[in-house]
Amino acid sequence: MTGLPTDTPKAVVLDVRNLTTQVATPTGAKTIIDDVSFQLRPEETLCIAGESGSGKSVTALSIMALLPANARITQGKILLGQSDLLTLSDYQMQSIRGGEIAMIFQEPMTSLNPVMTIGRQLVEAISTHQKIFGDAARKIAISSLDAVRMSESPRRMKQYPHELSGGMRQRVMIAMALSCNPGILIADEPTTALDVTIQAQTLMLMNDLKRDFNTAIILITHDMGVVAEMADRVIIMHEGKIVESQPVIDLFQQPEETYTKALLAAVPKLGSMKDKPITIKYVPGANGSAPPVVEVHNLTVRFDIKDGLLQRPIQRVHAVENVSFDLFCGETLALVGESGCGKSTIGKSLISLIPWNGDITINGLSTGGMSYSEMKTIRRNVQMIFQDPSAALNPRMRVGDLIGEPLEIHNLATGAELQERVAELLHRVDLSPDAIKRYPHEFSGGQRQRICIARALSLGPNVIIADESVSALDVSVQAQVLELMQELQDELGLSYLFISHDMAVVEQICHRVAVMLLGEIVECGPRNLVFNNPQHPYTQRLLDSVPIADPTIVRRDRKLETGDVPSPIRPLNYVPIERKIRDVGGGHFVRDFDQ
Amino acid sequence: MTTYICRRVFEALLILIGITFVTYVLLYLVPADPVRQIAGRSATAETVENIRRQLGLHLPFYEQYWNYLSALVQGNFGRSYIQKTEVVELIRSRLPASLLLMVGAIAAELILGLTMGVISAVRRNSATDQVLMVVSFIGVSAPQFVVGILLLYVFAVLLGWFPIGGYGTFSHLVLPALTLGFLGAGWYSRMMRSSMLNVLEQDFIRTARAKGLSKARVILRHAVPNALLPIIAMIGIDIGIFMSGIVVVESVFGWPGIGQLAWQAIQRVDIPIIMGVTLVAACSIVLGNLVADIVALFVDPRIKLR
């Protein structure tokens, strides 16, 4: 440790004073952290919250001296005990990193070296800082894996990162960070890439470890729910500056700054829709009882995993298993579930991007066995919006061409008419008409998603499959995009199949919700019935796991699981268990489950 | 593992049969007549016809090919038209020299190329990086006979450090191996540089630095092994490039390998030798790729046998 008198409660373990960091850009130095000061006290969790680009990650990297080559700290002090980290040499900094201050990152999938075993990566950290080698180091590594509740730690030591799930990998990262008993742990969006149930476990684990190891934590997150659950004190950052700094309860109950208020207001809160009625605003034609626009019956999608000399199938992924649902005109049906539950696969099946079994009827036409050209007319009515708008737009095409391309492919418009339609669509999603000549990289994330929506709308579809369409956006932008989607629905009578892992967002936008687990819909019904009265244990667990942006709500104690998550990969002879579906009333259905 | 290797060997056999066919077709279509080469200009039409019958070259193409293939399956590569020796014997006497040269060249290109690539990437955009990339550019673009002759002139004639030509000791090997490896070194340094730059930006490198590891350890233990993964597959392909380089380099340095044998045989349309050398080359390429894939399997735990 640093030799500080840590027994006094008022002691400060890390004191950041007037930190200013700049990056070199073609147009000169740009300040991305502007005069940031804060103190970290022992055994506290300090959350640095803010939207993307607010400088919260750069603050962490500045402390660790891990800034990219084009960034530079121009001013300030970072005091760890008596020593200013900014005056230390590279070599001196090496013993601070990992030894005194450890850090874990957002992407557990890529943060571990893929060609080294877990054990070697852990032992390496221990040997570097504690000068302990061989079996002794291995023992410490195993005990730190035990500390993060990994099952079968000795076996895990021999495994490679790709053999572990995301949640398990993040535990390994935490084990590695804590193996040298650092005084400070910096966690940069540690649970953002994880499923909610895994996130809940990881957060709980971090709280346990903070207590056991007396570690002070700097937790960087964009998720106000996580802030509410974890923080003792909160710093809100915006455009490189600290906007507000308060103890967590005060911040949520009496935010002082307008920015903080706006940020908190934009956060979708689970349960906030409890008493709001579900109404489908779009009134279709003459009669109210129109047939469903999409009917799915007994949809099953399985993929074979092949291996061996003759590439025989050896295992089978039961991606979607016997799923049935209807989607009505002007309605939003949400498919929720964790990664790998088959929700995206259903979206792809609807427009036959993958082979499937069962019956799918779209606008009264059965799409099973359709030829490519027949399917083309179906696809005109069913469009998709994807998760990552920057990846979904070809970077070398102008926005006008991107939005106009579907019209050209379907021979719906050319020349001046095409231009006119594109301008109209841009106007519809609140983008200025000069966007036509610009490229996707010139737009922000939210604007790019609007471009994707405009492109999806160009063919005048009546069904839109929105696959995690707002998950990559900041909350304030997310709220705007959701509002736009609702407006378009009310006006054009669009039906949305809204695929998401985010229960709070789903509650805001959907009329009905279907909860998926391992390829099956386990519970389905109108929003308020499912959210207010979840019947299936998985739905309950899912709702329970969502961090709520209210620090006064204390979570129920949950069991911290040690094993891996169940998987839809089954042996070839696996016969899916047929479970009855119970009608709970009011259009609310639940699949039977083991008690 | 065993089934994997069996499958690969089975595939290799199919490839080799395909290669004999393609090569045979090409040689059949070449306008040069091997019989004229053997008989000489002054031979009578009758002599020519006799030789043609003796060698079975009067038969239709598919019969010729069938005869060749069935002899080959029994291990008979045929006899050289000109030297009248068994092709197997000729290749056996010359193969070790070529293999030695190839091993030397692979060592040269890997040591030179990978080191240059790593240094370039770590010192990205520095003067060192620029100098190294110019060197690699020369390696990629300079013809091997030019490189060979330049090296000979500087290191053998002017400095006298290495012998001008011949075969036998380590110092005989240095210049030919460098010449043959220089092209590859150019390629590898560029590929290693971009591969390293890519790896150095990965999250796990940041993790390694955040652990407090020294810079050297981050580069050598974490970055280099990952950067090598795409390179390994290239080494297998490389052997094919060596096979063409060997013909040139062996001529320049008077190296008694199969390259020279092939060169003489091509000039005289000595079909059995050309076929034999082609098969040896094909075998080594197939083998090289198999070895590269198996090495990759051990280096990258994510690769599963398929």
Side-chain angles (χ1 to χ4, degrees):
Chain A
M1 284 296 297
T2 54
L4 260 181
T6 41
D7 48 349
T8 51
K10 290 287 169 207
V12 170
V13 285
L14 187 76
D15 190 355
V16 176
R17 292 186 193 164
N18 310 101
L19 182 69
T20 301
T21 302
Q22 295 185 326
V23 284
T25 64
T27 51
K30 187 178 163 227
T31 303
I32 44 173
I33 299 213
D34 195 357
D35 199 25
V36 162
S37 305
F38 61 87
Q39 294 182 327
L40 179 68
R41 301 190 189 104
E43 293 166 54
E44 81 167 345
T45 301
L46 175 69
C47 274
I48 303 181
E51 298 192 294
S52 50
S54 61
K56 48 194 197 306
S57 286
V58 182
T59 306
L61 294 176
S62 299
I63 296 169
M64 296 291 279
L66 286 175
L67 287 170
N70 64 346
R72 201 163 58 90
I73 296 168
T74 52
Q75 192 200 316
K77 277 188 173 141
I78 301 172
L79 296 173
L80 179 73
Q82 303 305 319
S83 57
D84 182 359
L85 297 186
L86 298 182
T87 61
L88 297 186
S89 69
D90 258 11
Y91 180 74
Q92 288 169 312
M93 204 52 215
Q94 278 168 24
S95 64
I96 303 284
R97 285 200 285 261
E100 311 275 339
I101 311 176
M103 187 162 176
I104 56 176
F105 301 95
Q106 174 168 3
E107 274 301 332
M109 303 310 274
T110 53
S111 289
L112 290 165
N113 187 336
V115 304
M116 272 170 99
T117 57
I118 304 296
R120 271 180 65 199
Q121 299 191 49
L122 278 163
V123 165
E124 189 181 47
I126 293 160
S127 300
T128 305
H129 293 289
Q130 305 179 37
K131 310 290 171 229
I132 298 171
F133 304 90
D135 277 340
R138 216 161 293 132
K139 254 186 210 137
I140 298 179
I142 291 175
S143 67
S144 47
L145 284 179
D146 288 335
V148 295
R149 323 283 191 271
M150 289 279 274
S151 56
E152 306 170 74
S153 313
R155 189 171 68 87
R156 304 288 185 193
M157 295 282 285
K158 294 194 196 78
Q159 284 185 315
Y160 286 94
H162 73 274
E163 297 171 67
L164 302 178
S165 65
M168 289 287 130
R169 288 189 212 186
Q170 199 60 299
R171 288 189 192 190
V172 172
M173 285 294 290
I174 297 174
M176 204 153 77
L178 294 179
S179 62
C180 299
N181 296 317
I184 301 167
L185 174 68
I186 302 179
D188 188 356
E189 302 271 8
T191 57
T192 307
L194 304 176
D195 281 326
V196 272
T197 53
I198 311 292
Q199 163 171 296
Q201 289 173 17
T202 310
L203 292 178
M204 196 159 57
L205 176 71
M206 284 177 62
N207 268 338
D208 285 4
L209 294 173
K210 183 177 87 169
R211 203 179 49 225
D212 298 349
F213 290 83
N214 298 328
T215 315
I217 297 179
I218 297 179
L219 178 66
I220 293 168
T221 182
H222 70 283
D223 186 333
M224 295 312 282
V226 172
V227 172
E229 182 162 337
M230 297 292 288
D232 297 314
R233 276 191 311 131
V234 188
I235 289 174
I236 302 285
M237 282 187 78
H238 180 55
E239 290 176 350
K241 291 196 181 78
I242 292 184
V243 177
E244 183 162 359
S245 168
Q246 286 220 61
V248 64
I249 298 202
D250 297 349
L251 184 101
F252 278 89
Q253 289 179 346
Q254 295 131 12
E256 282 168 9
E257 303 296 321
T258 33
Y259 176 75
T260 316
K261 286 175 191 159
L263 188 68
L264 288 172
V267 175
K269 283 187 197 67
L270 195 64
S272 61
M273 304 290 283
K274 220 172 205 163
D275 311 314
K276 302 216 174 106
I278 309 169
T279 45
I280 296 178
K281 288 180 188 149
Y282 180 77
V283 187
N287 54 348
S289 61
V293 287
V294 176
E295 290 167 82
V296 174
H297 287 291
N298 307 99
L299 176 69
T300 298
V301 182
R302 293 171 188 170
F303 306 105
D304 286 344
I305 300 175
K306 292 174 180 161
D307 200 3
L309 191 60
L310 299 167
Q311 291 293 290
R312 284 211 186 88
I314 49 152
Q315 282 180 313
R316 196 164 282 153
V317 185
H318 290 249
V320 177
E321 201 53 62
N322 206 4
V323 160
S324 306
F325 62 85
D326 292 334
L327 177 63
F328 292 91
C329 183
E331 182 196 43
T332 302
L333 172 66
L335 283 180
V336 294
E338 299 186 290
S339 49
C341 72
K343 53 194 194 299
S344 289
T345 309
I346 291 181
K348 288 180 197 158
S349 312
L350 284 191
I351 46 176
S352 296
L353 291 178
I354 46 167
W356 47 268
N357 282 311
D359 288 308
I360 296 179
T361 308
I362 292 174
N363 295 326
L365 293 171
S366 172
T367 65
M370 268 196 176
S371 71
Y372 186 84
S373 56
E374 287 172 312
M375 201 57 218
K376 197 170 159 184
T377 50
I378 297 287
R379 287 191 184 134
R380 191 182 301 170
N381 295 322
V382 186
Q383 287 290 303
M384 282 191 98
I385 309 170
F386 299 95
Q387 172 167 12
D388 185 353
S390 53
L393 296 168
N394 185 338
R396 293 184 211 294
M397 279 171 80
R398 291 176 200 275
V399 168
D401 300 332
L402 283 164
I403 297 176
E405 197 182 25
L407 290 166
E408 280 178 59
I409 292 171
H410 288 268
N411 294 322
L412 292 177
T414 48
E417 195 196 345
L418 183 74
Q419 293 305 314
E420 209 173 288
R421 293 279 288 278
V422 170
E424 210 178 281
L425 287 161
L426 279 172
H427 175 72
R428 194 66 274 277
V429 297
D430 300 326
L431 287 174
S432 70
D434 64 335
I436 289 183
K437 292 273 167 244
R438 289 157 69 193
Y439 287 95
H441 71 263
E442 299 172 54
F443 296 87
S444 69
Q447 287 172 324
R448 280 186 218 147
Q449 198 59 295
R450 284 168 194 271
I451 297 169
C452 290
I453 294 174
R455 176 171 65 180
L457 289 178
S458 65
L459 293 173
N462 61 353
V463 178
I464 286 187
I465 302 165
D467 192 349
E468 299 278 9
S469 298
V470 295
S471 308
L473 305 175
D474 280 326
V475 277
S476 58
V477 183
Q478 192 178 54
Q480 291 163 12
V481 172
L482 286 174
E483 202 178 312
L484 172 68
M485 286 179 69
Q486 259 162 343
E487 258 175 55
L488 292 168
Q489 178 170 56
D490 297 344
E491 210 169 293
L492 306 169
L494 297 173
S495 304
Y496 291 129
L497 185 66
F498 192 87
I499 298 169
S500 179
H501 70 281
D502 189 332
M503 301 299 281
V505 168
V506 162
E507 194 192 15
Q508 282 207 326
I509 191 165
C510 78
H511 301 106
R512 279 192 306 141
V513 58
V515 181
M516 288 193 69
L517 172 66
L518 296 176
E520 290 179 327
I521 292 180
V522 293
E523 184 156 4
C524 179
R527 178 197 68 211
N528 50 4
L529 294 183
V530 174
F531 276 80
N532 300 349
N533 188 17
Q535 297 291 312
H536 197 277
Y538 179 72
T539 316
Q540 290 165 0
R541 195 153 72 96
L542 209 54
L543 286 168
D544 241 20
S545 303
V546 179
I548 295 167
D550 183 349
T552 53
I553 297 176
V554 180
R555 242 181 226 276
R556 272 182 267 162
D557 263 348
R558 275 180 310 258
K559 202 176 118 250
L560 194 53
E561 283 163 43
T562 53
D564 265 321
V565 279
S567 133
I569 300 174
R570 312 279 194 185
L572 286 180
N573 55 9
Y574 175 79
V575 181
I577 308 158
E578 291 262 345
R579 291 185 199 272
K580 280 213 188 82
I581 295 173
R582 263 187 310 131
D583 188 346
V584 198
H588 186 178
F589 298 90
V590 182
R591 196 172 282 270
D592 272 348
F593 47 87
D594 304 321
Q595 286 300 331
Chain B
M1 190 75 189
T2 333
T3 52
Y4 174 73
I5 291 175
C6 286
R7 206 185 90 226
R8 290 293 301 262
V9 169
F10 177 70
E11 281 174 8
L13 284 175
L14 289 182
I15 291 171
L16 290 178
I17 290 172
I19 285 169
T20 60
F21 181 74
V22 172
T23 322
Y24 217 90
V25 169
L26 285 174
L27 288 171
Y28 186 78
L29 294 175
V30 161
D33 182 0
V35 181
R36 278 274 164 215
Q37 293 283 331
I38 301 162
R41 285 175 201 282
S42 53
T44 61
E46 200 181 337
T47 327
V48 170
E49 196 49 32
N50 271 336
I51 296 173
R52 197 180 299 281
R53 281 184 177 280
Q54 262 177 27
L55 296 178
L57 292 176
H58 64 294
L59 297 168
F61 170 75
Y62 60 90
E63 276 187 48
Q64 281 187 39
Y65 178 64
W66 181 249
N67 289 341
Y68 180 80
L69 203 60
S70 40
L72 190 67
V73 171
Q74 296 159 33
N76 184 359
F77 280 66
R79 286 164 73 95
S80 160
Y81 293 162
I82 315 283
Q83 302 187 38
K84 311 286 185 211
T85 335
E86 288 291 327
V87 170
V88 176
E89 275 310 309
L90 286 169
I91 290 177
R92 189 179 292 156
S93 66
R94 287 175 172 252
L95 195 57
S98 287
L99 285 181
L100 182 66
L101 178 56
M102 198 133 63
V103 169
I106 292 178
E109 72 173 2
L110 289 183
I111 293 168
L112 267 177
L114 299 185
T115 320
M116 279 164 61
V118 171
I119 293 173
S120 275
V122 173
R123 304 234 177 284
R124 183 184 192 179
N125 295 338
S126 67
T128 325
D129 178 24
Q130 283 166 7
V131 169
L132 287 177
M133 282 305 103
V134 169
V135 173
S136 106
F137 186 68
I138 296 171
V140 172
S141 50
Q144 282 174 328
F145 62 90
V146 175
V147 174
I149 288 168
L150 270 177
L151 287 178
L152 261 185
Y153 182 68
V154 176
F155 292 102
V157 178
L158 285 186
L159 297 170
W161 292 356
F162 300 104
I164 288 180
Y167 171 68
T169 68
F170 178 73
S171 64
H172 283 106
L173 176 65
V174 175
L175 290 184
L178 271 180
T179 310
L180 193 54
F182 195 46
L183 171 75
W187 279 117
Y188 282 126
S189 59
R190 299 201 149 227
M191 283 182 21
M192 192 62 184
R193 180 176 183 270
S194 60
S195 182
M196 276 292 285
L197 288 178
N198 183 19
V199 169
L200 285 173
E201 280 181 9
Q202 301 288 313
D203 291 345
F204 59 81
I205 295 297
R206 194 182 49 189
T207 307
R209 291 181 62 201
K211 272 201 275 190
L213 303 183
S214 67
K215 203 170 178 193
R217 198 178 169 94
V218 171
I219 290 165
L220 295 176
R221 294 295 293 277
H222 287 265
V224 170
N226 279 285
L228 277 177
L229 299 178
I231 310 278
I232 292 169
M234 284 301 296
I235 300 175
I237 298 169
D238 224 36
I239 293 171
I241 301 170
F242 276 151
M243 277 297 159
S244 64
I246 251 176
V247 177
V248 178
V249 174
E250 288 185 0
S251 306
V252 172
F253 289 91
W255 191 265
I258 58 170
Q260 275 200 8
L261 182 70
W263 177 233
Q264 289 159 8
I266 290 166
Q267 285 171 318
R268 298 182 199 159
V269 206
D270 199 341
I271 293 176
I273 294 186
I274 300 177
M275 290 298 297
V277 172
T278 310
L279 275 178
V280 169
C283 278
S284 54
I285 292 168
V286 167
L287 204 67
N289 275 306
L290 180 60
V291 171
D293 288 351
I294 290 172
V295 169
L297 207 67
F298 283 104
V299 181
D300 190 346
R302 287 165 300 181
I303 299 178
K304 285 223 181 85
L305 291 176
R306 270 196 300 114

